[in-house]
Amino acid sequence: MKYIKWFKEIGIKDVNAVGGKNASLGEMYNNLTPLGVNVPNGFAVTATAYKHYLDYNNLWDKLSYLFKDFNPDDIEELKAVGKAARSMIIDGEIPNDLKDEIFKGYKELKKEYGKDVSLAVRSSATAEDSPTASFAGQNETYLNIKGEENLLLAYKMCLASNFTDRSISYKYTHNFDPLKVYLSVVIMKMVRSDLASSGVMFSIDTESGFRDVVFINAAYGLGENVVQGTINPDAFYVHKPTYKKGYKAVLKRKKGDKELMMVFSETLERANLAEQFTKNIKTPIEKKMKFAITDEEVLTLANWAILIEDHYTNVRGTYTPMDMEWAKDGVDGKLYMVQARPETVHSQEKLTDFEIYRLLEKSKVLLTGSAVGEKIGAGRVKILKSMAEADKFNDGDVLVAHTTSPDWEPVMKKASAIITQTGGRTCHAAIVSRELGKPAVVGAKDAMKILKEEEEVTVSCAEGEIGKVYEGILKYKVEKVDISKLPRPKTKIMMNLGNPELAFSLAKLPVDGIGLARMEFIINNYIKAHPMAIKHPEMLSESEKALIDKLSFPYDGDAEDFFVKTLSEGVATIASSVYPKKCIVRMSDFKSNEYANLLGGRHFEPIEDNPMIGFRGAARYTHPAYKEGFELECKAMKRAIKDMGFENIVLMIPFCRRIDEAKRVKNALIQNGLSDVEVYMMCEIPSNVILIDEFLEIYDGISIGTNDLTQLTLGVDRDSEIVAFDYSEMDEAVKRMVKMAVEGAKRNNKYSGLCGQAPSDYPEFAEFLVKIGIESMSLNPDSVLKIIKDIAEMENNSNLKGK
């Protein structure tokens, strides 16, 4: 046929003929369905048909006149030109020969899927889905289309969407001539996700550009809510390197609110075709509390994402991370891929470029949401209820809206930062924000009520997954480093990290691993409940039980499963950022007063006068008061290492006072299935140094904790202001302790490292560590780049050669 091409007839080389979306669907249909990727069948109404339509209706000269001397930055002019262009298209007639071919294609789909098959009719521009421009959400999609008349109307409206205000603006932003971008249309079998779930996925982390994960969003009903940013969806990550090794596990998950679900409407209540067939309904509470897809479905999608990325990378001859849409059919229960296009932001970055935004001051946090981009922006708040108010928006203002759909792109270009009340990090607004290089906080509930018009704010997306809106204009700095030019010292430089939310954004740092991953952050911020409260709910009040039931509800109400998965996935996320380099995970080291603050903790913790040297660390692990809690920790670490494949995890035992205690803890690890795992000991008590040889018969290495070692060597409470002048890691007694520990590790051919800020704070202390030949230093991430330079220079110093 002259004007339509079936998916089996097209591929990625046919973008000029059928547009990016169609070309990609054909590519997947032909090359990836044999590998098990489900792609619904369909056909492209080609760019030739678009030209035929404009020829037949004599529209070329009229459109050309419209865009003569056009200023895309003038919003009023943009609106007028867009409206006129769309009217010309809608008022035209479809030529009979084109109409006949569309009907023939529809008939074939009825043969394949049954006479009641409904259709998805989607725009596919000839410039879209290039590696530099996604055209995300710029053109229209019409779903659940049935009947020849509706099909033709949907086709015409897709053609008209080539001239939506947002699409025109986007073309000019990316240097495309609006008259040279032709519109092809996808007509394919409708996947009935209105009866199940759908979403978006990327074969790369959308915020940090971390290449080793697949990121999946999921919600109930049609995917438009996820794409448009009307809801906050569930989020899942899968680690590609361990998945490829055969470890099938979710790396990380976060339950979204999923307030609404889009379904098909039986009544045609509205004039707009896009809304005639769909409506949003409130998601039932039991669905909201659960994840929208199972772990098995997450892993199926991750496998498809890996296959698709690998295929496109091979076809293009360059690394090509992908942005994909998927849907689950509620009728046949199967998952389907309905779109795949190259990711357009991080794929363009140089891997060696590292840019760090850092706030230099803090103020009151006015509200929070999901962070998009890792930047900081500041300005005056402008609250826009619709694009009708766009004329009040000035360059450098902070845009605040209910949702920033791609219609708002002309305004978004002017913004210093963007805040929306709804949306997740894969919505169209988030994608456009990233392409524009603007920080955005999405899903910030009640932003339009909390923030005041003209109020000065600072929007920070540089502090992890949570984006924060601060009161006032705050100072910040941007550090740009080409890490390929950094020297690499012989001494290993590692980083301390407890917050999994920061892991992917720090993965670019040129470190030799994680020297200290703190378990406490995950327990305190994600689990929130005392481990013994999980084991003994009978000890809790009714309100405490209800809170734990709420936390564990998405895990089928199994509180232990919730604890084990949350802890193992948090630790594994940190380990993934440096995989396969070493990640040293310290088992829990809360003090009794800190444990008591956890949900249900008051029932299980003693009241101590000096918790710092009380019931903490190794002393707890085999004690009847905490033994079952330690077993839960071990179960989580066993899952992270053996089931999830993070064999780079090394466990570390804190505050181990005596040899007998060290043996008991080691035996407990063995009994809990961790016999073949490398285990280090924190070296932070003088007894650890004095008996270093005996301790290293039990453990595989040491990590020196300078904070506790200093206070216990000098007998100084580090939290007491009145004796703070006596607390110093530079004291000769402390340095001698450190030297003895390092020499002991060397003598026993065991690992030695130090975790703490002292090497960064005191260059002379760093030099001392280099001289005594410590194997590694682990510091906070913000000190890593500086210490790498400093240590490399020290090692080149003639006095240190041959260390």
Side-chain angles (χ1 to χ4, degrees):
M1 286 189 273
K2 191 174 179 182
Y3 300 116
I4 77 168
K5 296 284 184 187
W6 288 91
F7 289 169
K8 65 183 179 183
E9 300 176 286
I10 55 179
I12 199 64
K13 294 177 181 176
D14 297 306
V15 173
N16 289 338
V18 297
K21 200 175 279 104
N22 270 317
S24 196
L25 283 163
E27 186 73 18
M28 288 194 294
Y29 189 85
N30 290 306
N31 296 286
L32 293 166
T33 50
L35 301 180
V37 179
N38 294 332
V39 180
N41 197 11
F43 58 89
V45 187
T46 63
T48 302
Y50 173 82
K51 287 184 269 188
H52 181 40
Y53 183 90
L54 266 61
D55 287 337
Y56 184 80
N57 290 284
N58 299 311
L59 294 179
W60 289 109
D61 289 341
K62 294 175 185 175
L63 288 168
S64 183
Y65 182 77
L66 264 183
F67 285 98
K68 186 180 179 184
D69 301 322
F70 170 64
N71 178 10
D73 295 323
D74 183 327
I75 290 175
E76 290 306 315
E77 187 178 352
L78 174 64
K79 288 179 182 176
V81 167
K83 184 179 180 182
R86 292 191 298 276
S87 295
M88 288 179 191
I89 304 286
I90 293 294
D91 292 342
E93 290 184 19
I94 300 177
N96 287 331
D97 54 351
L98 173 55
K99 197 182 297 184
D100 290 343
E101 289 196 13
I102 292 173
F103 289 164
K104 284 177 184 175
Y106 186 16
K107 191 175 179 182
E108 286 298 314
L109 286 175
K110 284 182 177 179
K111 275 187 191 175
E112 183 173 354
Y113 292 111
K115 60 182 175 62
D116 292 327
V117 65
S118 62
L119 304 172
V121 182
R122 314 177 73 191
S123 307
S124 180
T126 54
E128 76 179 349
D129 299 349
S130 69
T132 56
S134 68
F135 275 70
Q138 303 308 318
N139 305 115
E140 299 294 359
T141 288
Y142 301 97
L143 304 175
N144 202 34
I145 301 300
K146 292 181 180 178
E148 292 180 346
E149 187 179 337
N150 284 326
L151 177 55
L152 293 180
L153 178 56
Y155 173 68
K156 282 173 70 172
M157 292 183 73
C158 279
L159 298 189
S161 75
N162 201 25
F163 298 101
T164 58
D165 299 352
R166 63 180 182 261
S167 186
I168 295 168
S169 175
Y170 191 89
K171 290 182 182 83
Y172 275 94
T173 299
H174 291 83
N175 300 313
F176 290 105
D177 183 336
L179 295 184
K180 291 182 181 175
V181 176
Y182 302 144
L183 221 293
S184 175
V185 173
V186 181
I187 296 178
M188 65 193 292
K189 181 235 179 197
M190 177 73 216
V191 178
R192 294 299 303 272
S193 57
D194 58 305
L195 304 173
S197 51
S198 58
V200 173
M201 67 176 172
F202 289 77
S203 63
I204 192 171
D205 179 46
T206 54
E207 301 315 308
S208 64
F210 183 48
R211 294 183 171 192
D212 284 353
V213 289
V214 173
F215 175 39
I216 301 167
N217 270 163
Y220 298 108
L222 300 169
E224 289 305 293
N225 280 335
V226 177
V227 172
Q228 298 291 349
T230 4
I231 59 158
N232 183 18
D234 294 335
F236 304 89
Y237 290 88
V238 175
H239 187 240
K240 290 189 280 190
T242 47
Y243 184 92
K244 288 179 177 180
K245 284 187 173 182
Y247 295 97
K248 305 298 189 280
V250 174
L251 173 66
K252 179 180 176 183
R253 73 189 78 214
K254 187 175 182 181
K255 186 175 67 63
D257 295 338
K258 307 183 293 292
E259 293 282 354
L260 301 169
M261 48 192 288
M262 186 177 283
V263 297
F264 292 130
S265 173
E266 294 304 317
T267 57
L268 307 183
E269 297 168 349
R270 302 177 185 176
N272 188 310
L273 180 68
E275 296 177 333
Q276 278 185 349
F277 298 102
T278 62
K279 63 180 179 181
N280 264 323
I281 60 173
K282 285 195 175 290
T283 306
I285 185 68
E286 65 275 10
K287 279 180 172 278
K288 282 176 61 177
M289 293 293 290
K290 292 275 189 181
F291 291 106
I293 50 176
T294 65
D295 280 16
E296 185 180 354
E297 289 168 336
V298 170
L299 295 170
T300 296
L301 290 170
N303 181 47
W304 290 359
I306 292 167
L307 289 170
I308 292 166
E309 180 185 80
D310 287 349
H311 176 77
Y312 278 77
T313 295
N314 290 334
V315 167
R316 291 177 177 271
T318 185
Y319 170 63
T320 306
M322 299 298 289
D323 167 358
M324 296 152 280
E325 292 179 29
W326 62 271
K328 181 180 178 181
D329 195 308
V331 177
D332 64 21
K334 292 180 182 177
L335 293 166
Y336 291 89
M337 289 303 307
V338 294
Q339 186 170 332
R341 58 185 172 225
E343 191 272 348
T344 58
V345 179
H346 296 294
S347 57
Q348 305 304 305
E349 295 174 341
K350 275 178 66 182
L351 273 179
T352 57
D353 287 347
F354 198 84
E355 193 174 70
I356 307 170
Y357 280 69
R358 191 172 290 125
L359 275 175
L360 300 177
E361 52 187 348
K362 296 283 181 78
S363 65
K364 179 182 176 183
V365 176
L366 300 174
L367 77 161
T368 62
S370 296
V372 174
E374 296 176 320
K375 298 182 178 181
I376 297 171
R380 293 181 183 276
V381 166
K382 287 289 171 65
I383 300 170
L384 269 61
K385 293 177 182 173
S386 73
M387 275 293 286
E389 300 176 307
D391 56 344
K392 75 176 185 180
F393 198 86
N394 301 312
D395 286 341
D397 287 343
V398 173
L399 173 62
V400 180
H402 181 69
T403 180
T404 51
S405 74
D407 285 319
W408 297 56
E409 196 255 356
V411 168
M412 293 166 74
K413 284 194 295 187
K414 295 181 176 183
S416 61
I418 295 150
I419 301 166
T420 68
Q421 294 191 142
T422 62
R425 288 196 304 218
T426 58
C427 67
H428 279 142
I431 291 170
V432 173
S433 296
R434 285 187 207 100
E435 287 188 351
L436 294 172
K438 310 284 186 180
V441 176
V442 298
K445 289 185 177 178
D446 297 323
M448 297 171 79
K449 290 181 183 175
I450 294 169
L451 299 177
K452 304 290 184 286
E453 191 77 10
E454 297 292 334
E455 179 180 14
E456 291 186 331
V457 296
T458 299
V459 178
S460 173
C461 295
E463 300 169 75
E465 294 179 3
I466 304 299
K468 297 176 182 176
V469 181
Y470 290 97
E471 187 175 58
I473 305 288
L474 303 180
K475 293 178 182 175
Y476 65 91
K477 70 174 183 179
V478 185
E479 186 177 356
K480 296 182 180 181
V481 179
D482 183 347
I483 57 178
S484 66
K485 295 179 181 176
L486 278 176
R488 297 310 298 264
K490 294 174 186 173
T491 307
K492 290 179 180 175
I493 304 301
M494 305 171 87
M495 66 178 167
N496 304 331
L497 186 60
N499 184 352
E501 292 177 3
L502 296 173
F504 299 159
S505 63
L506 296 171
K508 267 190 185 180
L509 280 173
V511 295
D512 296 301
I514 303 288
L516 175 62
R518 299 182 184 91
M519 200 178 273
E520 295 83 26
F521 184 93
I522 300 164
I523 295 172
N524 197 41
N525 289 275
Y526 296 105
I527 295 172
K528 302 178 182 177
H530 195 288
M532 293 298 286
I534 298 285
K535 294 294 290 186
H536 291 281
E538 73 279 1
M539 298 282 290
L540 308 179
S541 69
E542 289 304 313
S543 62
E544 288 168 333
K545 282 183 191 173
L547 287 170
I548 290 179
D549 285 346
K550 185 178 179 182
L551 287 166
S552 59
F553 187 85
Y555 300 81
D556 294 325
D558 186 333
E560 285 195 30
D561 188 48
F562 156 67
F563 182 97
V564 169
K565 281 184 176 169
T566 304
L567 183 54
S568 60
E569 290 168 11
V571 166
T573 298
I574 293 172
S576 74
S577 68
V578 294
Y579 183 89
K581 297 172 187 171
K582 192 175 292 185
C583 176
I584 302 169
V585 179
R586 188 178 69 188
M587 304 301 280
S588 68
D589 193 26
F590 281 124
K591 286 72 175 176
S592 55
N593 59 323
E594 294 167 336
Y595 264 121
N597 289 329
L598 293 170
L599 183 57
R602 63 193 176 93
H603 303 290
F604 303 97
E605 292 300 323
I607 297 173
E608 299 183 284
D609 290 332
N610 193 349
M612 183 69 77
I613 53 173
F615 190 43
R616 63 175 285 200
R620 304 180 69 95
Y621 299 159
T622 57
H623 194 285
Y626 191 75
K627 181 183 176 185
E628 291 171 291
F630 183 64
E631 287 170 359
L632 275 182
E633 290 182 31
C634 289
K635 196 173 179 183
M637 292 306 94
K638 182 182 175 184
R639 180 174 184 263
I641 296 166
K642 301 194 174 182
D643 297 344
M644 299 178 73
F646 289 94
E647 294 165 347
N648 62 325
I649 290 175
V650 176
L651 300 180
M652 185 158 66
I653 305 303
F655 223 76
C656 188
R657 296 174 170 100
R658 301 173 61 247
I659 300 297
D660 283 350
E661 189 170 72
K663 289 177 179 175
R664 286 198 303 273
V665 172
K666 187 67 181 290
N667 287 334
L669 290 169
I670 292 168
Q671 288 164 13
N672 282 290
L674 294 164
S675 58
D676 53 350
V677 174
E678 204 173 357
V679 184
Y680 295 165
M681 177 187 75
M682 285 291 292
C683 183
E684 52 193 343
I685 306 171
S687 63
N688 299 150
V689 179
I690 295 164
L691 298 176
I692 190 72
D693 297 298
E694 288 87 343
F695 276 111
L696 287 175
E697 286 179 15
I698 301 162
Y699 294 120
D700 302 302
I702 58 166
S703 182
I704 300 163
T706 51
N707 289 341
D708 277 339
L709 186 60
T710 299
Q711 73 171 345
L712 293 172
T713 298
L714 299 178
V716 176
D717 179 356
R718 71 186 195 219
D719 294 326
S720 171
E721 290 182 16
I722 199 165
V723 290
F725 59 88
D726 271 334
Y727 180 91
S728 172
E729 295 101 328
M730 291 301 295
D731 189 275
E732 193 56 41
V734 177
K735 288 170 70 176
R736 193 168 296 183
M737 282 283 187
V738 171
K739 185 179 180 185
M740 289 167 63
V742 173
E743 288 173 345
K746 281 184 175 180
R747 187 165 58 246
N748 289 276
N749 294 313
K750 298 290 179 77
Y751 167 88
S752 69
L754 182 142
C755 49
Q757 281 301 103
S760 178
D761 295 339
Y762 307 105
E764 59 271 36
F765 191 77
E767 186 172 336
F768 159 72
L769 293 173
V770 172
K771 280 182 177 177
I772 64 174
I774 199 161
E775 192 171 330
S776 76
M777 300 179 210
S778 188
L779 303 101
N780 291 340
D782 59 0
S783 304
V784 162
L785 296 175
K786 177 181 179 295
I787 202 73
I788 286 174
K789 293 177 189 173
D790 291 348
I791 297 298
E793 287 174 12
M794 289 173 193
E795 289 179 350
N796 286 329
N797 186 307
S798 59
N799 295 328
L800 302 179
K801 282 183 178 174
K803 77 172 182 72

